[in-house]
Amino acid sequence: MSLAPRLDIRQSQSLVMTPQLQQAIKLLALSNLEIEAFIAEEVEKNPLLDASAIREVATPERPEREAPAGADELVAGTAPAEDRGLDLDYATESHQQDSVADGGTGPDGGLSLNGASSGGLGGEDGPDWDSLADDAPNLAEHLEAQVALILSGLDLTIAAHIIDQLDEAGYLTVPLREIAERLGVGLPQVEVVLKVVQSLDPTGVGARDLAECLTLQAREVDRYDPCMAKLIANLDLLARGDLIRLKRLCGVDDEDMADMIRELRGYDPKPGCRYGGEPARAVVPDLFVTRTKAGWGIELNTATLPRVLVNRRYYQELRHGPQDKGSKAWLADCLASANWLMKALDQRQRTIIRVATEIVKQQEAFFLHGVAHLRPLTLARVAEAIGMHESTVSRVTSNKYLSCARGLYELKFFFTSGIAAADGGDAVSAEAVKSAIRALIANEGAKILSDDTLVELLQAKGFDIARRTVAKYREALGIGSSVQRRRARALGG
């Protein structure tokens, strides 16, 4: 056997992830709104992409206009070669009206769904929603406007710095000594200015902890007596529900303690949240599921999908113009990139529809009867049914939401683990068990149900479940233990 080096030629096969394939995989995991942002970037880079122009469909008055080719023709490559439309025919599609903003105004002055707009809130371009936006000042602006009427000079500068250090709840999280050293002033002067800031509206802003915040609000309504001071100083005992010790410390009876707790609950622990902060954004569904006579109708939310085309006319002008070799190669790359993007978007939509269709098929009992009939489902089961890889199904179901008659659900919601049935029948979904636990605790009445009692009641319903599993699901639902619920009821009494 020779140990000398030598050169061999071998042939082998391997899977190569091209940049376009990697990009297509990433597109599957994006929601419709993220796809819109992605396409906006592509339109800026590729001059042949047009996200605003929609081709007109042929009419008797304009016979020279041809209807754009459908997505099936694009994938098959059978569309006309010279002026091939690379998008769906939106003029012949039916679209889900997912919001009142999709239509115009109706006979009563409101919005209709016929696309016309007249009168009401807007003109020819529809209602002016920006004019209805809330332009209220944020917390810092609200406080600065007040303190400017009270302080001036160095005190105003210190107050402005303190206001800048407040968090969104209105609490001061920076030590006063640090503020004094940063501004080069004495600590007593900073403390005096802080008292002024704490006197501003809303009451409780500028506090350094919850106890100080509640103290400021109690003093505002002249309720800060020695008993209330003791109660606020022992909030940890109140959180644990130790009413016996609290009554002894405050020196009050049951009636006075209940009145003090009721008063304390009327205070705002986060006064700064009344101002500023980003409003909660509504989740936009990516899919609509509706019940039809023929079964279930599954439709993409086309209102959030950008309508992008390849500008063939511009491409023809550039191709027939004076070009060098480099310009021709660049134009060919732009056209290939645009064609690939159109096909990738079309394939993404087809894949989402296939996965959603199989989910609806597997979870039909949920759409008919509710969460209690949700079945255990795994990504592998859906992938096997539609002939795709499990990772592909995982990407499709990420960051996407489904709207149906029962509400808005993330696609991941339909994939849950299974709990064995007590009678040996089919396994049930973990979400169905959580729903049963929530219903039992909501209707427990005067007798608080322990976890052991919940296990017995669930087994009577046919769920073979252990006590530790009940405790885990209860905590996942944000429901306290039987001891915590009993204390909470005592505090509420």
Side-chain angles (χ1 to χ4, degrees):
M1 177 178 177
S2 175
L3 298 179
R6 62 180 183 179
L7 182 65
D8 293 338
I9 299 178
R10 297 180 180 178
Q11 185 177 10
S12 62
Q13 292 182 342
S14 62
L15 180 62
V16 178
M17 295 284 288
T18 64
Q20 289 186 339
L21 180 57
Q22 294 177 9
Q23 190 64 64
I25 292 175
K26 291 180 180 180
L27 290 179
L28 285 176
L30 300 181
S31 64
N32 284 1
L33 297 181
E34 293 171 333
I35 283 290
E36 185 176 2
F38 170 79
I39 290 180
E41 296 178 0
E42 292 296 320
V43 170
E44 292 181 359
K45 295 187 295 184
N46 195 334
L48 298 183
L49 287 174
D50 191 350
S52 58
I54 303 298
R55 290 176 53 85
E56 297 181 14
V57 182
T59 60
E61 294 79 8
R62 298 179 180 178
E64 69 279 0
R65 292 286 188 178
E66 295 182 358
D72 293 335
E73 294 175 303
L74 286 173
V75 177
T78 57
E82 186 64 21
D83 194 13
R84 184 178 302 169
L86 293 178
D87 204 4
L88 299 177
D89 185 357
Y90 287 94
T92 59
E93 280 204 355
S94 61
H95 301 285
Q96 176 78 28
Q97 298 289 351
D98 60 296
S99 68
V100 294
D102 292 341
T105 56
D108 56 352
L111 293 175
S112 66
L113 300 178
N114 57 5
S117 175
S118 61
L121 298 174
E124 296 180 356
D125 296 331
D128 185 11
W129 299 112
D130 293 335
S131 63
L132 302 179
D134 186 10
D135 55 353
N138 56 30
L139 178 62
E141 295 172 346
H142 179 67
L143 296 177
E144 289 171 354
Q146 298 177 70
V147 78
L149 302 176
I150 304 174
L151 303 176
S152 61
L154 181 58
D155 290 343
L156 181 60
T157 303
I158 298 174
H161 189 78
I162 292 176
I163 292 173
D164 289 338
Q165 302 303 318
L166 300 180
D167 61 13
E168 61 180 7
Y171 287 87
L172 179 62
T173 57
V174 179
L176 292 182
R177 186 173 299 278
E178 181 179 335
I179 296 177
E181 294 175 355
R182 189 180 304 169
L183 298 178
V185 297
L187 180 60
Q189 187 176 4
V190 177
E191 293 176 346
V192 171
V193 175
L194 177 61
K195 294 295 183 182
V196 176
V197 173
Q198 292 178 345
S199 66
L200 302 177
D201 177 72
T203 305
V205 72
R208 285 158 286 187
D209 52 36
L210 177 60
E212 187 176 12
C213 178
L214 298 177
T215 298
L216 292 172
Q217 297 181 59
R219 285 174 175 167
E220 176 72 15
V221 295
D222 196 20
R223 281 282 291 163
Y224 192 70
D225 51 28
C227 296
M228 181 64 76
K230 285 287 187 180
L231 178 60
I232 294 178
N234 295 276
L235 292 176
D236 55 337
L237 297 179
L238 182 61
R240 295 200 300 266
D242 194 349
L243 298 182
I244 298 177
R245 189 175 177 185
L246 277 175
K247 287 186 293 184
R248 185 172 64 251
L249 290 173
C250 298
V252 296
D253 54 14
D254 292 342
E255 184 178 355
D256 290 337
M257 177 57 67
D259 183 63
M260 292 167 60
I261 294 176
R262 192 180 306 110
E263 178 75 21
L264 206 60
R265 284 180 171 174
Y267 299 156
D268 188 356
K270 297 181 179 180
C273 292
R274 305 177 196 173
Y275 301 89
E278 294 185 0
R281 296 183 179 180
V283 177
V284 179
D286 299 273
L287 292 157
F288 295 103
V289 176
T290 55
R291 184 81 182 274
T292 62
K293 295 181 179 179
W296 295 99
I298 303 173
E299 181 182 2
L300 286 170
N301 185 2
T302 54
T304 59
L305 288 175
R307 303 177 183 180
V308 60
L309 298 172
V310 175
N311 195 332
R312 287 287 175 174
R313 180 178 300 175
Y314 186 53
Y315 169 72
Q316 294 296 335
E317 293 177 0
L318 294 179
R319 192 182 68 170
H320 294 297
Q323 294 181 354
D324 54 15
K325 186 175 181 180
S327 300
K328 290 182 179 179
W330 172 80
L331 185 60
D333 290 341
C334 289
L335 181 62
S337 177
N339 288 337
W340 169 85
L341 179 61
M342 305 304 301
K343 294 178 182 179
L345 291 175
D346 178 75
Q347 184 62 37
R348 173 185 177 273
Q349 297 182 24
R350 292 173 182 269
T351 305
I352 293 175
I353 289 295
R354 286 183 63 186
V355 172
T357 302
E358 184 61 27
I359 291 176
V360 174
K361 178 181 177 181
Q362 296 284 349
Q363 301 288 4
E364 185 176 9
F366 162 81
F367 292 97
L368 292 175
H369 307 294
V371 180
H373 298 269
L374 197 65
R375 298 173 52 192
L377 187 63
T378 61
L379 296 173
R381 184 174 179 179
V382 173
E384 182 181 0
I386 62 179
M388 291 185 177
H389 196 271
E390 184 177 347
S391 62
T392 303
V393 178
S394 177
R395 292 186 178 94
V396 169
T397 54
S398 298
N399 304 319
K400 296 178 183 63
Y401 291 83
L402 177 149
S403 177
C404 62
R406 298 196 171 274
L408 185 65
Y409 298 90
E410 190 178 7
L411 290 184
K412 292 288 188 183
F413 169 80
F414 299 98
F415 297 90
T416 60
S417 57
I419 301 295
D423 56 359
D426 295 337
V428 295
S429 170
E431 289 294 334
V433 178
K434 290 180 181 180
S435 177
I437 294 174
R438 185 189 294 109
L440 289 173
I441 294 179
N443 300 320
E444 61 185 357
K447 184 179 180 181
I448 303 299
L449 302 177
S450 64
D451 289 345
D452 292 328
T453 305
L454 289 175
V455 170
E456 297 175 0
L457 295 176
L458 290 173
Q459 288 179 348
K461 290 178 174 289
F463 301 139
D464 186 11
I465 189 171
R467 181 185 180 278
R468 61 180 180 274
T469 307
V470 171
K472 180 180 70 173
Y473 287 170
R474 175 179 51 74
E475 293 173 357
L477 293 171
I479 301 175
S481 63
S482 57
V483 176
Q484 293 172 331
R485 299 200 305 275
R486 190 175 293 108
R487 288 176 178 174
R489 179 166 297 182
L491 290 175

